[in-house]
């Protein structure tokens, strides 16, 4: 196996063996022990081969003792390139590495709609994958070209010149639209003669892979040296719409002789016979942004001609590990033993991490940047845990390379505390986890969930829509020292109680289960009108079906008049009360008790550590596919049916934070 596959196996160890705790601990523990022992043996077997070109192992491999689904699971955490490399280990691994279930994970979600464009039938998902890599497809009525980056499976898009704005592009004396057989598109642009050369365009990032850094290239050919343009630096820029785009200079041909500027990007030849020049880079975080691009030369009076533009290509930036000594890495991988007692620590049989007593580890033979790249693929919690292995691993685990990946892309624009020591990205991360910062003119609070780096928000009462909140007789805006915000909303007296809020999906972390909480407290010793009163809640995506439930805003207690406590009231009983317009307290106790097992119980408030209380309103999931423009999550809390007057509560806001891992698996 090659170095990258070994690194990916390390990722599997760190993230899925050391720290993954499933509900069935017995099965997990046995699988951990088998995987660790067998993978160690296969590393020693595969890395101990003779020097020179590695060959397929003849006969059985230590990996053959692993369940096939375990092998597929390990390979699924790597990449298409690694899956191909893993197939050379043994026949069993080859079978797992070629399975349709594995390669379907590398295909785009919409791959079934792309198949009809091919004139042949594919015998496997792997064959389809490589077709999408080698044979670009036209989409969007032929205005865009789509393919996959072969090594990673990331999306690559080329937009045709028809998709951009070309100054004088509609004037035949300046530009002509031609057809040539080597172009992907039916029509491409040829520059005939202009003095004002300017092209502007863009694309929505939903066409691209999330969590990926992209480069943008202009793909072109020149005629007769591209007079008036080929040997001059041309302005270019790429960036997110609404933000300042970094500018650079490019050549279409380049100056002759030694008159060459080092700050100007020179074009490079492509395998398809075209030339390309990089216009810039950007990071696609959540597929919810628009990207703008520009290229032009407008500050010279020279007439320009001889440029043929096929399009503008968006493709992932290639990342490389700085592995200077291949023999050193192979030798180091032979020596690595997960949980080796000689290293002074490892994993106990109950899955707990044992502290490391020795100052060094066999990981120390790996280059530090290699270790950093492995930790880069884990989580903040994992990075802190592995720092205890040795000094070398600790240095790698605390590097800015690792912790900048855990920070949100917009961290540099946040109003961090002036006293914060920003000498390392880890310190900035921990500050954002421990000390929420105000954003959106103080109407929202933002912080990071410490163990995962997921984004958390609180929408202040000022950011919510509260019925009658502008009437001092019903609501008052007060200042309390324990609030994150300048003002909070105190309920004076209303019979129509309704609070609504919303947040843009693009602000949240992808692939995350979120819970929504109402954060409040009593204004005095007791509130009025909320005793035994279920409050209706709604949580969901705007314009789509929302999930409705009920909560109590007074904690479980015993009514001194009736002697009845409502702890553990079933949702079914409350829902039936709302349907029949009968107070749920009037149902016979036997009916209420008998319905407790149906649909769970009504949520009750719980005390927090910051002198406030919270009650869970609902939950939702942000998938990995990003979002459409304008997608929002809406939240509503209301009680408008009973008609009684209510007072005595103070509302700080609505908090949106990731569901804990153990709660997701329940």
């Amino acid at each position: 196996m090659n170095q990258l596959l070994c690194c990916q196996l390390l990722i599997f160890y760190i993230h899925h063996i050391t720290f993954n705790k499933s509900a069935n601990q017995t099965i997990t523990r046995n699988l951990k022990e088998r995987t660790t022992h067998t993978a160690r043996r296969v590393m020693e077997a595969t890395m101990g081969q003779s020097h020179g070109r590695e060959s397929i192992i003849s006969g059985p491999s230590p990996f053959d003792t692993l369940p096939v689904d375990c092998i597929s699971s390990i390979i699924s955490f790597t990449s298409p390139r690694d899956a191909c490399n893993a197939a050379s280990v043994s026949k069993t691994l080859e079978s797992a590495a070629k399975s349709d279930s594995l390669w379907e994970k590398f295909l785009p979600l919409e791959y079934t709609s792309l198949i009809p464009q091919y004139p042949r039938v594919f015998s496997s998902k792997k064959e389809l994958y490589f077709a999408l890599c080698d044979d670009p497809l036209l989409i969007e009525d032929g205005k865009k070209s789509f393919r996959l980056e072969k090594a990673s499976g990331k999306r690559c898009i080329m937009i045709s010149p028809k998709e951009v704005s070309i100054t004088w592009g509609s004037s035949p004396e300046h530009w002509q639209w031609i057809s040539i057989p080597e172009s992907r598109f039916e029509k491409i642009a040829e520059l005939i003669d202009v003095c004002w050369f300017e092209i502007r365009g863009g694309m929505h990032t939903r066409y691209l892979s999330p969590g990926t850094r992209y480069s943008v290239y202009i793909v072109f050919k020149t005629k007769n040296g591209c007079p008036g343009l080929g040997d001059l630096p041309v302005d270019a820029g790429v960036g997110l719409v609404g933000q300042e785009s970094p500018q650079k200079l490019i050549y279409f041909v380049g100056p002759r002789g030694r008159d060459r500027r080092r700050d100007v990007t020179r074009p490079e030849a492509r395998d398809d016979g075209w030339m390309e020049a990089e216009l810039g880079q950007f990071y696609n975080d959540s597929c919810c942004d628009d990207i703008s691009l520009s290229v032009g030369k407008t500050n010279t009076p020279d007439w320009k001609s001889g440029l043929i533009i096929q399009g503008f290509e968006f493709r992932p930036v290639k990342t490389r590990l700085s592995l200077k000594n291949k023999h050193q890495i192979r030798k180091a991988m032979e020596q690595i033993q997960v949980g080796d007692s000689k290293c002074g620590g490892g994993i106990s049989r109950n899955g707990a991490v044992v502290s490391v007593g020795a100052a060094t580890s066999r990981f120390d033979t790996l280059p530090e940047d290699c270790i950093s790249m492995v930790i880069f693929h884990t989580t903040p919690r994992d990075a802190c845990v592995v720092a205890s292995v040795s000094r070398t691993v600790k240095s790698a685990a605390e590097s800015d390379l690792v912790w900048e990946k855990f920070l949100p892309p917009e961290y540099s624009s946040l109003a961090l505390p002036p006293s914060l020591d920003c000498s390392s990205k880890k310190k900035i991360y921990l500050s954002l986890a421990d000390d929420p910062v105000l954003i959106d003119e103080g109407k929202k609070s933002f912080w990071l969930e410490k163990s995962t780096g997921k984004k958390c928000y609180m929408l202040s009462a000022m950011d919510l829509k509260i019925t009658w909140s502008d009437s001092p007789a019903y609501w008052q805006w007060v200042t309390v020292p324990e609030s994150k915000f300048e003002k909070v909303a105190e309920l004076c007296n209303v019979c129509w109680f309704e609070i609504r809020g919303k947040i843009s999906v693009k602000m949240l972390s992808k692939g995350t289960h979120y819970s929504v909480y109402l954060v409040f407290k009593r204004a005095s010793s007791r509130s009025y009108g909320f005793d035994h009163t279920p409050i209706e809640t709604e949580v969901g995506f705007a314009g789509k079906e929302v999930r409705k439930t009920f909560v109590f805003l007074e904690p479980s207690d015993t009514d001194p008049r009736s002697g009845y406590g409502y702890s553990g009231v079933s949702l079914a009983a409350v829902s039936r009360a709302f349907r029949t317009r009968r107070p749920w307290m009037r149902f016979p106790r036997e009916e209420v008790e008998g319905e407790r097992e149906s649909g769970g119980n009504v949520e009750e408030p719980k005390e927090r550590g910051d002198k406030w209380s919270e009650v869970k309103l609902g939950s939702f999931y942000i998938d990995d596919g990003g979002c459409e423009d304008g997608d929002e999550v809406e939240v509503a809390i209301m009680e408008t049916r009973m008609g009684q007057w209510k007072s005595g509560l103070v509302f700080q806001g609505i908090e949106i934070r990731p569901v804990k891992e153990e709660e997701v698996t329940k």
Side-chain angles (χ1 to χ4, degrees), residues 52 82 97 101 111 120 140 230 262 287 293 339 373 400-401 412 414 456 469 598 631 643 651 655:
D82 297 335
S101 62
Y111 77 89
R120 66 181 191 273
E140 299 285 319
R262 294 185 177 181
C287 297
L293 63 87
M373 288 301 294
D400 282 353
L401 171 67
S412 59
L414 299 175
C456 309
S469 63
S598 174
D631 277 359
F651 297 92
E655 188 168 281

PDB file of all heavy atoms in Angstrom, residues 52 82 97 101 111 120 140 230 262 287 293 339 373 400-401 412 414 456 469 598 631 643 651 655:
ATOM      1  N   GLY A  52      11.888  -1.235  -4.521  1.00  0.00           N
ATOM      2  CA  GLY A  52      11.471  -1.202  -5.917  1.00  0.00           C
ATOM      3  C   GLY A  52       9.969  -1.164  -6.023  1.00  0.00           C
ATOM      4  O   GLY A  52       9.258  -0.873  -5.074  1.00  0.00           O
ATOM      5  N   ASP A  82      -7.292   5.824  -3.299  1.00  0.00           N
ATOM      6  CA  ASP A  82      -6.877   4.870  -2.284  1.00  0.00           C
ATOM      7  C   ASP A  82      -7.611   3.537  -2.439  1.00  0.00           C
ATOM      8  O   ASP A  82      -7.052   2.481  -2.152  1.00  0.00           O
ATOM      9  CB  ASP A  82      -7.134   5.441  -0.896  1.00  0.00           C
ATOM     10  CG  ASP A  82      -6.322   6.696  -0.633  1.00  0.00           C
ATOM     11  OD1 ASP A  82      -5.263   6.849  -1.267  1.00  0.00           O
ATOM     12  OD2 ASP A  82      -6.751   7.526   0.176  1.00  0.00           O
ATOM     13  N   ALA A  97     -12.921  -3.574  -2.563  1.00  0.00           N
ATOM     14  CA  ALA A  97     -12.593  -2.276  -3.163  1.00  0.00           C
ATOM     15  C   ALA A  97     -13.288  -2.047  -4.496  1.00  0.00           C
ATOM     16  O   ALA A  97     -13.266  -0.929  -5.020  1.00  0.00           O
ATOM     17  CB  ALA A  97     -11.086  -2.154  -3.350  1.00  0.00           C
ATOM     18  N   SER A 101     -21.406  -0.921  -3.660  1.00  0.00           N
ATOM     19  CA  SER A 101     -21.760  -0.142  -2.469  1.00  0.00           C
ATOM     20  C   SER A 101     -20.677   0.865  -2.115  1.00  0.00           C
ATOM     21  O   SER A 101     -20.969   1.951  -1.609  1.00  0.00           O
ATOM     22  CB  SER A 101     -22.003  -1.085  -1.282  1.00  0.00           C
ATOM     23  OG  SER A 101     -20.831  -1.821  -0.969  1.00  0.00           O
ATOM     24  N   TYR A 111     -26.254  11.161  -9.887  1.00  0.00           N
ATOM     25  CA  TYR A 111     -25.630  10.399 -10.974  1.00  0.00           C
ATOM     26  C   TYR A 111     -26.646   9.653 -11.840  1.00  0.00           C
ATOM     27  O   TYR A 111     -26.418   9.438 -13.034  1.00  0.00           O
ATOM     28  CB  TYR A 111     -24.596   9.426 -10.406  1.00  0.00           C
ATOM     29  CG  TYR A 111     -25.150   8.176  -9.771  1.00  0.00           C
ATOM     30  CD1 TYR A 111     -25.385   7.024 -10.525  1.00  0.00           C
ATOM     31  CD2 TYR A 111     -25.435   8.121  -8.414  1.00  0.00           C
ATOM     32  CE1 TYR A 111     -25.885   5.881  -9.942  1.00  0.00           C
ATOM     33  CE2 TYR A 111     -25.931   6.985  -7.818  1.00  0.00           C
ATOM     34  CZ  TYR A 111     -26.162   5.858  -8.583  1.00  0.00           C
ATOM     35  OH  TYR A 111     -26.663   4.719  -8.007  1.00  0.00           O
ATOM     36  N   ARG A 120     -23.720   3.957 -23.703  1.00  0.00           N
ATOM     37  CA  ARG A 120     -23.467   2.559 -23.349  1.00  0.00           C
ATOM     38  C   ARG A 120     -24.014   2.251 -21.963  1.00  0.00           C
ATOM     39  O   ARG A 120     -24.364   3.143 -21.198  1.00  0.00           O
ATOM     40  CB  ARG A 120     -21.964   2.277 -23.378  1.00  0.00           C
ATOM     41  CG  ARG A 120     -21.141   3.004 -22.324  1.00  0.00           C
ATOM     42  CD  ARG A 120     -19.666   2.661 -22.488  1.00  0.00           C
ATOM     43  NE  ARG A 120     -18.832   3.111 -21.386  1.00  0.00           N
ATOM     44  CZ  ARG A 120     -18.286   4.312 -21.309  1.00  0.00           C
ATOM     45  NH1 ARG A 120     -18.498   5.189 -22.271  1.00  0.00           N
ATOM     46  NH2 ARG A 120     -17.525   4.636 -20.272  1.00  0.00           N
ATOM     47  N   GLU A 140     -27.088  21.906 -17.967  1.00  0.00           N
ATOM     48  CA  GLU A 140     -27.647  23.261 -18.060  1.00  0.00           C
ATOM     49  C   GLU A 140     -27.777  23.707 -19.522  1.00  0.00           C
ATOM     50  O   GLU A 140     -27.300  24.781 -19.906  1.00  0.00           O
ATOM     51  CB  GLU A 140     -26.781  24.257 -17.276  1.00  0.00           C
ATOM     52  CG  GLU A 140     -26.667  23.958 -15.799  1.00  0.00           C
ATOM     53  CD  GLU A 140     -27.922  24.300 -15.030  1.00  0.00           C
ATOM     54  OE1 GLU A 140     -28.526  25.349 -15.314  1.00  0.00           O
ATOM     55  OE2 GLU A 140     -28.308  23.502 -14.159  1.00  0.00           O
ATOM     56  N   GLY A 230      -1.007  39.166 -25.580  1.00  0.00           N
ATOM     57  CA  GLY A 230      -0.281  37.972 -25.167  1.00  0.00           C
ATOM     58  C   GLY A 230       0.911  38.243 -24.277  1.00  0.00           C
ATOM     59  O   GLY A 230       1.198  37.462 -23.363  1.00  0.00           O
ATOM     60  N   ARG A 262       8.011  38.020 -11.984  1.00  0.00           N
ATOM     61  CA  ARG A 262       7.754  36.843 -11.154  1.00  0.00           C
ATOM     62  C   ARG A 262       6.370  36.859 -10.526  1.00  0.00           C
ATOM     63  O   ARG A 262       5.875  35.823 -10.083  1.00  0.00           O
ATOM     64  CB  ARG A 262       8.811  36.744 -10.053  1.00  0.00           C
ATOM     65  CG  ARG A 262      10.220  36.470 -10.582  1.00  0.00           C
ATOM     66  CD  ARG A 262      11.190  36.276  -9.435  1.00  0.00           C
ATOM     67  NE  ARG A 262      12.524  35.946  -9.925  1.00  0.00           N
ATOM     68  CZ  ARG A 262      13.569  35.702  -9.136  1.00  0.00           C
ATOM     69  NH1 ARG A 262      13.429  35.771  -7.814  1.00  0.00           N
ATOM     70  NH2 ARG A 262      14.733  35.418  -9.652  1.00  0.00           N
ATOM     71  N   CYS A 287     -21.770  25.512  -0.088  1.00  0.00           N
ATOM     72  CA  CYS A 287     -22.534  25.504  -1.349  1.00  0.00           C
ATOM     73  C   CYS A 287     -23.697  26.491  -1.332  1.00  0.00           C
ATOM     74  O   CYS A 287     -24.746  26.232  -1.939  1.00  0.00           O
ATOM     75  CB  CYS A 287     -23.053  24.095  -1.670  1.00  0.00           C
ATOM     76  SG  CYS A 287     -21.750  22.878  -1.935  1.00  0.00           S
ATOM     77  N   LEU A 293     -15.959  36.046 -11.083  1.00  0.00           N
ATOM     78  CA  LEU A 293     -14.642  36.002 -11.713  1.00  0.00           C
ATOM     79  C   LEU A 293     -14.536  37.155 -12.697  1.00  0.00           C
ATOM     80  O   LEU A 293     -15.542  37.638 -13.233  1.00  0.00           O
ATOM     81  CB  LEU A 293     -14.407  34.654 -12.409  1.00  0.00           C
ATOM     82  CG  LEU A 293     -15.314  34.262 -13.580  1.00  0.00           C
ATOM     83  CD1 LEU A 293     -14.805  34.789 -14.918  1.00  0.00           C
ATOM     84  CD2 LEU A 293     -15.441  32.747 -13.656  1.00  0.00           C
ATOM     85  N   GLY A 339      -1.409   1.194  20.383  1.00  0.00           N
ATOM     86  CA  GLY A 339      -1.512   0.707  21.750  1.00  0.00           C
ATOM     87  C   GLY A 339      -0.296  -0.055  22.202  1.00  0.00           C
ATOM     88  O   GLY A 339      -0.361  -0.835  23.149  1.00  0.00           O
ATOM     89  N   MET A 373      -1.342  16.396   8.824  1.00  0.00           N
ATOM     90  CA  MET A 373      -2.346  16.128   7.797  1.00  0.00           C
ATOM     91  C   MET A 373      -3.292  15.018   8.222  1.00  0.00           C
ATOM     92  O   MET A 373      -4.471  15.023   7.873  1.00  0.00           O
ATOM     93  CB  MET A 373      -1.662  15.764   6.481  1.00  0.00           C
ATOM     94  CG  MET A 373      -0.999  16.938   5.783  1.00  0.00           C
ATOM     95  SD  MET A 373      -2.157  18.272   5.375  1.00  0.00           S
ATOM     96  CE  MET A 373      -3.179  17.455   4.156  1.00  0.00           C
ATOM     97  N   ASP A 400      -0.962  25.451  13.583  1.00  0.00           N
ATOM     98  CA  ASP A 400      -1.982  26.296  12.959  1.00  0.00           C
ATOM     99  C   ASP A 400      -2.642  25.597  11.778  1.00  0.00           C
ATOM    100  O   ASP A 400      -3.819  25.835  11.481  1.00  0.00           O
ATOM    101  CB  ASP A 400      -1.359  27.614  12.496  1.00  0.00           C
ATOM    102  CG  ASP A 400      -1.149  28.592  13.647  1.00  0.00           C
ATOM    103  OD1 ASP A 400      -1.612  28.290  14.768  1.00  0.00           O
ATOM    104  OD2 ASP A 400      -0.529  29.642  13.431  1.00  0.00           O
ATOM    105  N   LEU A 401      -1.903  24.725  11.078  1.00  0.00           N
ATOM    106  CA  LEU A 401      -2.470  23.981   9.957  1.00  0.00           C
ATOM    107  C   LEU A 401      -3.686  23.183  10.396  1.00  0.00           C
ATOM    108  O   LEU A 401      -4.709  23.148   9.697  1.00  0.00           O
ATOM    109  CB  LEU A 401      -1.413  23.026   9.378  1.00  0.00           C
ATOM    110  CG  LEU A 401      -1.915  22.015   8.342  1.00  0.00           C
ATOM    111  CD1 LEU A 401      -2.354  22.722   7.078  1.00  0.00           C
ATOM    112  CD2 LEU A 401      -0.830  20.987   8.027  1.00  0.00           C
ATOM    113  N   SER A 412     -11.889  35.494  10.914  1.00  0.00           N
ATOM    114  CA  SER A 412     -11.066  36.716  10.953  1.00  0.00           C
ATOM    115  C   SER A 412     -11.905  37.981  11.014  1.00  0.00           C
ATOM    116  O   SER A 412     -11.414  39.035  11.423  1.00  0.00           O
ATOM    117  CB  SER A 412     -10.149  36.762   9.728  1.00  0.00           C
ATOM    118  OG  SER A 412     -10.909  36.737   8.527  1.00  0.00           O
ATOM    119  N   LEU A 414     -14.711  38.248  12.865  1.00  0.00           N
ATOM    120  CA  LEU A 414     -15.458  38.286  14.116  1.00  0.00           C
ATOM    121  C   LEU A 414     -14.808  39.253  15.103  1.00  0.00           C
ATOM    122  O   LEU A 414     -13.590  39.453  15.093  1.00  0.00           O
ATOM    123  CB  LEU A 414     -15.532  36.888  14.734  1.00  0.00           C
ATOM    124  CG  LEU A 414     -16.241  35.817  13.900  1.00  0.00           C
ATOM    125  CD1 LEU A 414     -16.137  34.455  14.580  1.00  0.00           C
ATOM    126  CD2 LEU A 414     -17.707  36.182  13.682  1.00  0.00           C
ATOM    127  N   CYS A 456     -22.701  27.287  16.645  1.00  0.00           N
ATOM    128  CA  CYS A 456     -23.832  27.463  17.556  1.00  0.00           C
ATOM    129  C   CYS A 456     -24.266  28.927  17.530  1.00  0.00           C
ATOM    130  O   CYS A 456     -23.433  29.823  17.381  1.00  0.00           O
ATOM    131  CB  CYS A 456     -23.455  27.080  18.989  1.00  0.00           C
ATOM    132  SG  CYS A 456     -22.687  25.458  19.185  1.00  0.00           S
ATOM    133  N   SER A 469     -44.897  43.123  21.194  1.00  0.00           N
ATOM    134  CA  SER A 469     -43.669  43.492  21.902  1.00  0.00           C
ATOM    135  C   SER A 469     -43.404  44.995  21.892  1.00  0.00           C
ATOM    136  O   SER A 469     -42.589  45.490  22.678  1.00  0.00           O
ATOM    137  CB  SER A 469     -42.470  42.762  21.290  1.00  0.00           C
ATOM    138  OG  SER A 469     -42.281  43.147  19.932  1.00  0.00           O
ATOM    139  N   SER A 598     -46.969   6.689  24.285  1.00  0.00           N
ATOM    140  CA  SER A 598     -47.238   6.986  22.876  1.00  0.00           C
ATOM    141  C   SER A 598     -46.682   8.363  22.531  1.00  0.00           C
ATOM    142  O   SER A 598     -47.228   9.377  22.938  1.00  0.00           O
ATOM    143  CB  SER A 598     -48.745   6.938  22.621  1.00  0.00           C
ATOM    144  OG  SER A 598     -49.031   7.345  21.307  1.00  0.00           O
ATOM    145  N   ASP A 631     -32.811  29.523   1.883  1.00  0.00           N
ATOM    146  CA  ASP A 631     -33.317  28.509   2.802  1.00  0.00           C
ATOM    147  C   ASP A 631     -33.173  28.992   4.236  1.00  0.00           C
ATOM    148  O   ASP A 631     -32.114  29.507   4.631  1.00  0.00           O
ATOM    149  CB  ASP A 631     -32.557  27.197   2.628  1.00  0.00           C
ATOM    150  CG  ASP A 631     -33.100  26.373   1.476  1.00  0.00           C
ATOM    151  OD1 ASP A 631     -34.073  26.829   0.852  1.00  0.00           O
ATOM    152  OD2 ASP A 631     -32.560  25.292   1.209  1.00  0.00           O
ATOM    153  N   GLY A 643     -56.753  31.494  26.182  1.00  0.00           N
ATOM    154  CA  GLY A 643     -57.318  32.800  26.490  1.00  0.00           C
ATOM    155  C   GLY A 643     -56.950  33.385  27.830  1.00  0.00           C
ATOM    156  O   GLY A 643     -57.290  34.537  28.107  1.00  0.00           O
ATOM    157  N   PHE A 651     -37.407  36.571  28.562  1.00  0.00           N
ATOM    158  CA  PHE A 651     -36.885  35.756  27.471  1.00  0.00           C
ATOM    159  C   PHE A 651     -35.582  36.367  26.938  1.00  0.00           C
ATOM    160  O   PHE A 651     -35.556  37.521  26.510  1.00  0.00           O
ATOM    161  CB  PHE A 651     -37.915  35.648  26.346  1.00  0.00           C
ATOM    162  CG  PHE A 651     -39.184  34.959  26.779  1.00  0.00           C
ATOM    163  CD1 PHE A 651     -40.252  35.700  27.271  1.00  0.00           C
ATOM    164  CD2 PHE A 651     -39.283  33.585  26.727  1.00  0.00           C
ATOM    165  CE1 PHE A 651     -41.418  35.074  27.685  1.00  0.00           C
ATOM    166  CE2 PHE A 651     -40.450  32.944  27.144  1.00  0.00           C
ATOM    167  CZ  PHE A 651     -41.516  33.688  27.623  1.00  0.00           C
ATOM    168  N   GLU A 655     -31.850  29.459  21.297  1.00  0.00           N
ATOM    169  CA  GLU A 655     -30.508  28.914  21.093  1.00  0.00           C
ATOM    170  C   GLU A 655     -30.570  27.714  20.153  1.00  0.00           C
ATOM    171  O   GLU A 655     -31.432  26.842  20.295  1.00  0.00           O
ATOM    172  CB  GLU A 655     -29.896  28.496  22.438  1.00  0.00           C
ATOM    173  CG  GLU A 655     -28.440  28.090  22.335  1.00  0.00           C
ATOM    174  CD  GLU A 655     -27.775  27.971  23.703  1.00  0.00           C
ATOM    175  OE1 GLU A 655     -27.415  29.029  24.268  1.00  0.00           O
ATOM    176  OE2 GLU A 655     -27.642  26.839  24.209  1.00  0.00           O
TER     177      GLU A 655
END
